[in-house]
Amino acid sequence: MTIRPITICGEPVLHQRAAEVETIDDEIRTLIDDMFATMDAAHGVGLAAPQIGVGRRIFTYQYADSGEVPSRGVIINPRLRLIAKPAQTAPDAEEHTEGCLSVPGLGFPLHRSDHVEVMGIGLDGAPIRFEARGWFARIMQHEYDHLDGFLYVDRLNPQWTRRWRRARRREGWGVPGLSWMPGEDPDPFGHDEDSAEEPGTVSDAQR
């Protein structure tokens, strides 16, 4: 397993739809092994293939409160259906702040559906189908968005979009060629060695 650099906002692969996986072969299995290694090194709760520069429809996740679903897994060629619509009120900065390994060190509030259905296939080629609720539903939506070329910051309301754009200019992001290396560069979310987090609150940050 190899830990790979994580792409930062502005890298083209993050902003275009990823391709379907047609065959689960050794290349795909190696990619998934590397995704798990990178997710763990970055203390993430999820990682999509475009975040390590590969435009394939795959994401990994790890979340202890996943209910009856395995707390750690991979979904290939996922599909997602919202069972509950996101709230239309302004998101709360304490309750709804999300983060992203491809927007390192920042967090902004965003409403998500708290109940979704996820479908896809596993590494063994068997079908996967389950419902996710709460923060686990947020993680599923966050990672699925990556496969369609969206970052969570693309979905912020106008108030938080303005703040995000100022932060992006300050950081010098939005251009190709930027990345950070888990395990070598300072952890942008300040996680300790035992934490594993990504899209939830900033402290749960994916996130």
Side-chain angles (χ1 to χ4, degrees), residues 4 13 18 31 48-57:
R4 303 199 195 185
V13 70
L31 170 62
Q51 291 184 276
I52 58 170
V54 181
R56 307 302 291 272
R57 297 188 73 79

Side-chain angles (χ1 to χ4, degrees), residues 6-36:
I6 293 178
T7 55
I8 292 176
C9 173
E11 188 66 25
V13 70
L14 290 173
H15 306 287
Q16 58 194 29
R17 190 180 192 278
E20 299 280 336
V21 174
E22 297 183 0
T23 303
I24 301 175
D25 54 16
D26 286 346
E27 179 183 357
I28 292 298
R29 284 186 280 270
T30 296
L31 170 62
I32 291 170
D33 284 344
D34 291 353
M35 289 174 65
F36 276 119

